[in-house]
């Protein structure tokens, strides 16, 4: 272990050397089933030949020129993203937090353009939007914010999945310009709102000329069983942020905007040196094209149902299981006890999982997972949980 890394992470002492599809191998040659995808990033699995070739070809021709010049792959990716999101324009960044920063700046500009001098953005309790100053201020977790005060102002908080709370804000606060919300809260423990929630938010936003800004950094790119989670409710947002699985491991973020929101950012208002570079955009284009051509979102929906059925059956007798819930392969098994120790036990058994919100086992398996691999995942996890709860 290097003494020269900042202690930002409590990394497990396992070192993966290569991967293929749903599997990883460590430096001792031990194999693991990857049910986490580096937190919803490698949704198409490891070492996807089409992506490897695209990255190799791009590396051999051109890596970077800057946004001082037009970038062909950036335009191609924007066209394909917009066509499938039914939205108008994209700003490219390098991460989820950066995509959300772009959205927050866009909302403030939108407010100022409408003569609102102190624009406010409605955000939710338990939300997670990133670790930069603005995005951690938008985040609804004291753990993320503590020690970083003064926070960025301009956020109004509401309980998640509570439409009346947002209506009450609308009545009392004339400075609101936007709502920023996750379609399913990821870090909070895969919290799925009632159906109709996004539609109701869309209505409130329309009534008050607010921007509906959806953080699909974790829920997007097929993970929910649709390409974008908002498509479950046929809602088109004004702004949608993407990152994580967009590049399948190549860093990229996107702030997709629609209608009036698509014309808010003009030259000089925002930018990024690396954002939208040829390598990242070609990788993401290859990822999106692969997802569309191979019905990846549909597979996520089917495998999600299969996994839910297997786990409900296999864990039926375990009274420590509080709830099994999912939208596609955004998957949670909530226990009645804290279960961080399960991560290490599963690792021993060759299974990669995550625990969030203390007692929620979060699974974000590859969207390419097969029926047989889903069965193997269920069996491994059921054994781990039953051993753990004794
Ligand atoms: C992971 C995540 C982010 C932050 O993305 P980074 O790439 O780590 O900056 C933002 N929003 C949501 C919903 C996320 O899950």
């Amino acid at each position: 272990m290097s003494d020269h890394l900042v202690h930002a992470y409590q990394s497990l002492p396992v070192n993966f050397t290569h991967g293929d599809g749903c599997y990883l191998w460590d430096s001792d040659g031990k194999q693991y089933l990857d049910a986490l995808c580096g937190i919803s990033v490698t949704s198409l699995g490891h070492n996807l030949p089409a992506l490897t070739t695209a990255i190799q070809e791009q590396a051999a021709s051109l890596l970077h020129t800057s946004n001082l010049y037009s970038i062909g792959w950036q335009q191609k990716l924007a066209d394909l993203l917009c066509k499938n999101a039914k939205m108008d324009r994209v700003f490219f960044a390098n991460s989820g937090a950066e995509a959300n920063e772009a959205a927050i700046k866009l909302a403030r500009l939108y407010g100022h353009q409408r003569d609102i001098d102190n624009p406010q953005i409605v955000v939710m309790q338990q939300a997670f939007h990133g670790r930069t100053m603005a995005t951690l201020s938008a985040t609804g977790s004291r753990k993320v914010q503590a020690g970083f005060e003064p926070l960025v102002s301009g956020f109004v908080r509401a309980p998640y999945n509570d439409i009346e709370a947002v209506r009450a804000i609308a009545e009392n606060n004339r400075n609101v310009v936007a709502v920023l919300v996750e379609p399913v809260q990821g870090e909070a423990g895969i919290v799925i709102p009632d159906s109709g929630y996004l539609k109701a938010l869309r209505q409130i936003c329309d009534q008050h000329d607010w921007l509906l800004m959806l953080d699909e950094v974790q829920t997007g790119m097929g993970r929910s069983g649709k390409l974008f989670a908002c498509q479950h409710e046929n809602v088109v947002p004004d702004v949608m942020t993407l990152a994580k699985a967009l590049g399948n491991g190549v860093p990229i973020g996107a702030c997709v905007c629609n209608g009036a929101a698509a014309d808010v950012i003009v030259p000089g208002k925002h930018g990024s040196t690396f954002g939208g570079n040829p390598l990242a955009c070609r990788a993401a284009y290859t990822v999106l094209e692969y997802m569309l051509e191979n019905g990846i979102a549909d597979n996520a929906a089917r495998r999600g149902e299969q996994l839910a059925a297997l786990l409900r059956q296999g864990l039926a007798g375990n009274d420590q299981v509080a709830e099994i819930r999912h939208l596609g392969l955004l998957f949670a098994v909530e226990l009645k006890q804290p279960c961080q120790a399960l991560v290490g036990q599963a690792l021993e058994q060759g299974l990669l999982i995550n625990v969030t919100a203390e007692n929620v086992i979060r699974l974000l398996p590859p969207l390419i997972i097969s029926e047989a691999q889903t069965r193997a995942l269920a069996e491994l996890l059921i054994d781990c949980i039953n051993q753990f709860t004794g």
Side-chain angles (χ1 to χ4, degrees):
M1 293 272 231
S2 171
D3 269 340
H4 297 293
L5 288 171
V6 167
H7 291 163
Y9 307 103
Q10 288 182 303
S11 308
L12 292 159
V14 59
N15 198 346
F16 300 113
T17 52
H18 63 288
D20 196 58
C22 299
Y23 295 95
L24 282 167
W25 284 266
D26 71 13
S27 41
D28 296 328
K30 181 176 165 186
Q31 182 181 326
Y32 301 80
L33 177 57
D34 183 0
L36 187 57
C37 288
I39 321 184
S40 199
V41 170
T42 50
S43 286
L44 296 181
H46 301 283
N47 201 13
L48 182 76
L51 181 58
T52 305
T53 305
I55 293 169
Q56 283 171 340
E57 283 183 14
Q58 194 56 42
S61 58
L62 189 65
L63 285 178
H64 181 84
T65 55
S66 94
N67 288 296
L68 297 172
Y69 311 99
S70 54
I71 297 170
W73 283 106
Q74 192 181 117
Q75 296 181 355
K76 279 184 67 148
L77 174 59
D79 290 348
L80 193 60
L81 267 176
C82 285
K83 180 171 164 220
N84 284 281
K86 300 194 166 61
M87 295 173 72
D88 291 328
R89 295 184 196 277
V90 191
F91 175 85
F92 287 109
N94 307 289
S95 68
E98 273 190 45
N100 285 332
E101 283 277 347
I104 292 163
K105 284 183 69 177
L106 190 159
R108 285 187 169 196
L109 260 186
Y110 170 82
H112 285 287
Q113 287 171 1
R114 296 164 64 243
D115 290 327
I116 296 174
D117 294 335
N118 182 22
Q120 308 277 309
I121 299 171
V122 177
V123 291
M124 305 302 161
Q125 289 174 4
Q126 274 79 54
F128 183 80
H129 297 298
R131 299 280 196 163
T132 61
M133 278 312 305
T135 58
L136 79 82
S137 302
T139 289
S141 155
R142 276 309 295 158
K143 231 164 74 183
V144 171
Q145 295 174 341
F148 299 107
E149 299 81 3
L151 301 181
V152 173
S153 62
F155 298 104
V156 190
R157 205 164 297 280
Y160 191 61
N161 195 25
D162 184 342
I163 281 297
E164 285 315 315
V166 179
R167 286 210 181 97
I169 291 170
E171 291 198 355
N172 297 317
N173 190 328
R174 299 285 140 210
N175 290 321
V176 173
V177 294
V179 177
L180 174 62
V181 60
E182 297 158 271
V184 170
Q185 287 189 327
E187 300 305 300
I190 313 294
V191 180
I192 305 169
D194 298 337
S195 75
Y197 180 59
L198 291 188
K199 255 211 157 80
L201 286 177
R202 176 71 275 178
Q203 261 173 8
I204 296 175
C205 288
D206 287 343
Q207 267 165 17
H208 298 277
D209 279 334
W210 299 353
L211 302 178
L212 177 62
M213 309 203 297
L214 298 183
D215 181 345
E216 293 237 21
V217 168
Q218 189 159 157
T219 58
M221 305 310 293
R223 170 76 37 202
S224 74
K226 302 259 188 205
L227 189 58
F228 306 114
C230 57
Q231 293 173 335
H232 285 281
E233 293 197 17
N234 289 319
V235 163
V236 178
D238 301 294
V239 176
M240 173 171 73
T241 54
L242 301 169
K244 292 202 162 96
L246 179 56
N248 207 64
V250 177
I252 182 168
C255 177
V256 191
C257 9
N258 194 42
D263 296 320
V264 170
I265 292 177
V266 294
K269 291 297 183 189
H270 197 42
S272 165
T273 298
F274 291 135
N277 70 76
L279 182 74
C281 287
R282 181 160 180 186
Y285 183 89
T286 307
V287 166
L288 179 54
E289 189 181 48
Y290 188 96
M291 285 185 167
L292 295 168
E293 285 177 357
N294 293 280
I296 294 300
D298 287 343
N299 191 59
R302 279 195 299 271
R303 299 286 77 85
E305 292 303 322
Q306 183 196 352
L307 186 58
L310 290 169
L311 292 180
R312 289 202 171 109
Q313 192 179 32
L315 293 167
N318 189 322
D319 66 2
Q320 285 302 299
V321 175
E323 189 179 43
I324 295 167
R325 57 178 178 266
H326 76 107
L327 187 65
L329 285 173
L330 281 161
F331 211 103
V333 180
E334 182 171 335
L335 299 190
K336 292 177 185 165
Q337 60 188 89
C339 55
Q340 189 58 48
L342 243 173
V343 172
Q345 288 180 16
L347 189 75
E348 289 277 306
Q349 311 288 319
L351 175 65
L352 304 186
I353 58 169
N354 172 251
V355 166
T356 184
E358 306 253 297
N359 60 336
V360 179
I361 302 163
R362 177 170 52 164
L363 305 174
L364 301 163
L367 308 186
I368 54 161
I369 195 168
S370 70
E371 193 174 350
Q373 287 164 337
T374 304
R375 249 180 283 125
L377 164 56
E379 280 168 23
L380 270 168
L381 186 69
I382 290 164
D383 280 351
C384 284
I385 294 175
N386 283 337
Q387 268 178 34
F388 178 77
T389 57

